[in-house]
Amino acid sequence: MWNAEEIASQLAVIDGKEAPDLIITNATYLHSVLKQWKTGTIWIKHGRILYTGERMPAMTEGAELIDATGKWIVPGYIEPHVHPFQLYNPETFAQFAAQHGTTTFLSDNLMLLMSIDQQQAFTLLDQLKQLPFSFYWWARMDSQTNLQNEAEVFAPEKVAEWLKRDDVLMGGELTGWPRLLKGDPVMTASLQKAKQLGKKVEGHFPGASERTLARMRLLGVNGDHESMTADEVETRLLQGYAVTLRESSIRPDLKPLLEGILEKGINVFDHLMMTTDGSPPLFHEDGVMDKCIRIALEVGVDPIDAYQMASYNIARYYDIDELHSVIAPGRFATLNFLSDIHEPNPTDVLSKGIWLKRDGQACIKFNKAEWSVFPDFAPDFDLTLEDLTATEPVGIDMLNDVITKPYETTVDLSAEQLEGNHDESFLALIDRDGKWRVNTIIKGFARSVQGLASSYSNTGDIILIGKDKNEMLRAFGHLKKLGGGIVLAENDGILCELPLSIGGSLSDQPIETLREQERVFKQELRDRGYEKGDAVYSLLFLQSTHLPYVRITQFGVSDVMRNKVLIPMTER
């Protein structure tokens, strides 16, 4: 992390021959190992903590002096399970999150795998390393859908190249774990490679039995973030798992989980982590990991435990505490300054020795990543009414935001428009390159959406939903002109748009701008009968075969539990 010249300079500060870059005096700071609040002085040079204690450096000329009287200093927060492609991109999410004290990220690589080649992805990762944040990554082993080129994208040798990187800390998350239980040789090879390289492996086991958890642990899985009750937390701990507690837009479980843990009296807070699990921009209106810490404090978790579940516990588990989450020599100077121990949103944020927030205001913006490597969303084909017409009466019934089941519809599939105040709509999945289509009916999405087109999907293919096929075509036409995103069409016009200019999947706008666009889109959907919790996840998970019971995929409408295609895709 530091070259020989920088280390020599840092040593010279200790020897009294040079001045630090920054001296923090009267510091009350959390020592993560001792689990105590300590007081003293902190010296920083080249973004690294050199000394914590009572002394002042022998040389101070030219150093920035900060009097931290009245502040509480904690390590920068870590988000250990972020999907940094939920409309936003990793760079804009990090800039926003840093204003709330979250400056280190363990990020999903799925969007990169699905959109660009490996060398382009690695170049992006290297560019993000230049930012004053700390980006780490997962190496996915499955696509969480039925992907036509899955064998190519997730070939063990390609997964291995990801796992060999020092900024990739984890394999997974294993949404396709049933394949592993059945002895799938491809996934088994990738998991074994992760273990050989000393990487953690994260599971995805909602509702898993004790037997399943034991079997997956024997196969090499280390952690899971799918606990929905305190009993499930305890079961996972008993089976030897690292447990991450979740507070997300579709699973806001953190408060009842922590209350249950406190009620059960199990003193396990040194072994728990927290995550927001890649929620969309609106969910983060009140923060990122500071949001989780605030919930923990409000239910009565000891403050030190609350802060450590969002910092030191994560760093220790992923073996990065040599650089992160201990305010002691040798670590990154990544610190959050709090006005009150019970207010985790910092007044000041220092990350790798660079001020990102001072006195409540953002200091600096960064633009290092070259997102143009994502191919433009520019379909060179048009659609017709026939492309939106289903022929089989099997439909998809949305039970909640993300769980769906098959049902038999009685609507006229050949009609151009569905009449009446009911919650059934046409649904089509169109290949991004126009080579195939899948057509069905969706129930429970909305009551009066005339036309919706989205290039934001699990695979980058195009989702069309609506009561009126002509408005669906209108929405698709505008989506092409927009260069990707989400479009609502109605009454011969465009109702609203949410542009996603990076490959049709990601926004290049600041989180604050994107959040307002998302707010408008969701309100328009609610006004037209969308009654679920998070429409962004509803669109994303329509294809996700790690959830029951039926999904629309590149192969057709698929029964997940029976591994059977109910309606095959149609070549165009």
Side-chain angles (χ1 to χ4, degrees):
M1 299 298 174
W2 295 272
N3 60 39
E5 183 179 346
E6 289 170 329
I7 294 172
S9 177
Q10 292 163 352
L11 290 170
V13 174
I14 301 296
D15 294 338
K17 298 175 182 177
E18 288 188 26
D21 296 329
L22 175 63
I23 305 167
I24 304 171
T25 62
N26 300 312
T28 300
Y29 62 95
L30 174 59
H31 194 286
S32 303
V33 177
L34 295 175
K35 294 189 69 173
Q36 295 176 359
W37 296 98
K38 309 297 288 184
T39 58
T41 301
I42 302 171
W43 310 354
I44 295 166
K45 184 81 169 181
H46 299 310
R48 192 183 197 188
I49 298 172
L50 306 186
Y51 169 84
T52 57
E54 299 300 322
R55 296 190 297 113
M56 283 289 287
M59 295 186 65
T60 61
E61 185 176 353
E64 180 182 6
L65 293 170
I66 299 293
D67 185 347
T69 299
K71 297 292 179 73
W72 302 80
I73 303 177
V74 296
Y77 310 141
I78 303 173
E79 170 48 278
H81 192 93
V82 61
H83 304 269
F85 306 104
Q86 305 297 44
L87 304 180
Y88 42 71
N89 67 67
E91 196 169 27
T92 53
F93 182 71
Q95 292 192 31
F96 167 80
Q99 298 307 302
H100 292 266
T102 303
T103 47
T104 299
F105 311 90
L106 185 50
S107 300
D108 186 1
N109 73 336
L110 184 59
M111 182 68 74
L112 300 177
L113 291 175
M114 305 284 263
S115 304
I116 55 180
D117 68 39
Q118 192 170 80
Q119 190 52 56
Q120 290 172 323
F122 288 172
T123 299
L124 266 180
L125 266 58
D126 292 338
Q127 290 169 351
L128 291 170
K129 278 185 175 182
Q130 299 173 35
L131 296 172
F133 313 105
S134 296
F135 282 97
Y136 297 100
W137 299 88
W138 330 338
R140 284 272 194 166
M141 299 176 183
D142 67 279
S143 66
Q144 74 181 34
T145 186
N146 293 338
L147 198 65
Q148 291 180 358
N149 63 338
E150 175 121 359
E152 175 188 347
V153 175
F154 296 93
E157 59 271 19
K158 290 188 176 181
V159 175
E161 289 304 308
W162 279 87
L163 290 168
K164 289 174 185 176
R165 288 184 61 100
D166 59 7
D167 54 354
V168 173
L169 304 182
M170 180 178 91
E173 59 183 299
L174 297 182
T175 53
W177 58 269
R179 288 165 40 196
L180 191 63
L181 284 181
K182 295 175 182 177
D184 179 82
V186 175
M187 188 174 286
T188 298
S190 292
L191 190 143
Q192 289 176 341
K193 188 64 176 180
K195 305 311 293 184
Q196 290 168 6
L197 294 170
K199 312 287 179 162
K200 305 292 186 184
V201 175
E202 180 74 1
H204 186 282
F205 308 141
S209 68
E210 187 178 62
R211 179 171 178 265
T212 294
L213 292 171
R215 293 169 73 192
M216 296 306 299
R217 188 68 191 89
L218 292 175
L219 286 167
V221 180
N222 303 95
D224 180 70
H225 58 284
E226 292 290 333
S227 298
M228 291 177 276
T229 67
D231 287 340
E232 290 187 352
V233 170
E234 187 172 20
T235 298
R236 281 158 173 74
L237 291 170
L238 284 168
Q239 297 297 322
Y241 283 82
V243 174
T244 304
L245 309 180
R246 177 172 50 192
E247 177 68 13
S248 74
S249 58
I250 55 174
R251 292 295 328 179
D253 295 331
L254 185 58
K255 184 175 185 289
L257 284 173
L258 291 171
E259 288 174 338
I261 291 166
L262 289 168
E263 185 178 337
K264 290 172 75 71
I266 50 177
N267 185 19
V268 294
F269 291 106
D270 281 349
H271 304 281
L272 298 176
M273 299 170 277
M274 300 187 289
T275 180
T276 58
D277 199 7
S279 296
L282 262 180
F283 179 81
H284 291 294
E285 200 159 19
D286 56 350
V288 186
M289 294 310 294
D290 58 315
K291 180 186 185 107
C292 295
I293 297 167
R294 188 174 296 108
I295 292 170
L297 294 170
E298 288 172 352
V299 302
V301 174
D302 180 86
I304 290 179
D305 285 327
Y307 286 103
Q308 302 232 127
M309 284 192 290
S311 57
Y312 180 63
N313 294 0
I314 301 165
R316 186 183 59 198
Y317 172 66
Y318 284 106
D319 299 321
I320 56 172
D321 52 318
E322 181 180 334
L323 294 172
H324 298 278
S325 296
V326 183
I327 302 178
R331 276 71 176 190
F332 283 126
T334 300
L335 310 172
N336 290 337
F337 294 69
L338 312 178
S339 59
D340 188 282
I341 195 174
H342 293 286
E343 178 43 73
N345 186 11
T347 59
D348 307 85
V349 175
L350 188 72
S351 183
K352 294 183 176 179
I354 296 174
W355 290 108
L356 302 182
K357 184 179 184 182
R358 293 298 305 271
D359 299 322
Q361 300 297 316
C363 297
I364 191 168
K365 288 189 176 182
F366 300 87
N367 294 287
K368 293 288 187 183
E370 184 52 67
W371 298 106
S372 63
V373 296
F374 276 65
D376 291 338
F377 178 82
D380 61 355
F381 61 91
D382 294 318
L383 297 176
T384 66
L385 291 174
E386 182 183 1
D387 288 313
L388 305 182
T389 301
T391 57
E392 301 291 335
V394 176
I396 296 174
D397 186 2
M398 291 185 64
L399 304 183
N400 59 28
D401 300 47
V402 298
I403 303 300
T404 57
K405 70 176 183 180
Y407 82 107
E408 188 166 326
T409 183
T410 59
V411 303
D412 182 0
L413 300 177
S414 64
E416 292 187 14
Q417 185 175 344
L418 296 178
E419 304 290 348
N421 185 29
H422 58 79
D423 63 350
E424 292 182 88
S425 304
F426 300 115
L427 168 63
L429 180 69
I430 309 294
D431 173 43
R432 183 187 179 105
D433 298 320
K435 297 178 180 178
W436 51 261
R437 60 182 171 90
V438 181
N439 302 97
T440 185
I441 296 290
I442 187 167
K443 177 179 172 61
F445 180 79
R447 305 189 75 84
S448 58
V449 169
Q450 293 184 16
L452 180 153
S454 175
S455 57
Y456 178 78
S457 67
N458 186 284
T459 57
D461 297 313
I462 302 155
I463 296 170
L464 300 174
I465 300 174
K467 310 275 278 194
D468 187 323
K469 292 177 183 176
N470 287 297
E471 293 299 332
M472 293 165 70
L473 293 176
R474 188 183 316 281
F476 173 70
H478 190 75
L479 185 70
K480 291 201 299 180
K481 294 177 183 177
L482 192 63
I486 306 174
V487 174
L488 283 173
E490 182 174 292
N491 296 335
D492 300 325
I494 301 303
L495 186 66
C496 77
E497 60 183 41
L498 197 164
L500 299 173
S501 61
I502 301 174
S505 299
L506 310 175
S507 175
D508 61 357
Q509 295 300 302
I511 294 289
E512 294 78 7
T513 301
L514 181 57
R515 188 167 60 212
E516 295 311 307
Q517 293 171 339
E518 182 193 358
R519 192 191 310 277
V520 170
F521 164 64
K522 287 184 172 178
Q523 185 58 56
E524 296 291 359
L525 273 187
R526 279 193 293 270
D527 291 346
R528 285 152 185 81
Y530 178 87
E531 297 177 348
K532 306 300 190 290
D534 193 332
V536 173
Y537 261 104
S538 292
L539 292 173
L540 184 69
F541 278 178
L542 278 174
Q543 298 167 272
S544 295
T545 53
H546 68 292
L547 296 166
Y549 293 91
V550 62
R551 300 287 147 180
I552 188 167
T553 77
Q554 293 184 350
F555 292 95
V557 176
S558 299
D559 184 318
V560 175
M561 309 303 286
R562 294 190 294 164
N563 193 26
K564 178 181 178 182
V565 175
L566 304 178
I567 303 174
M569 65 87 169
T570 300
E571 299 282 354
R572 294 184 73 248

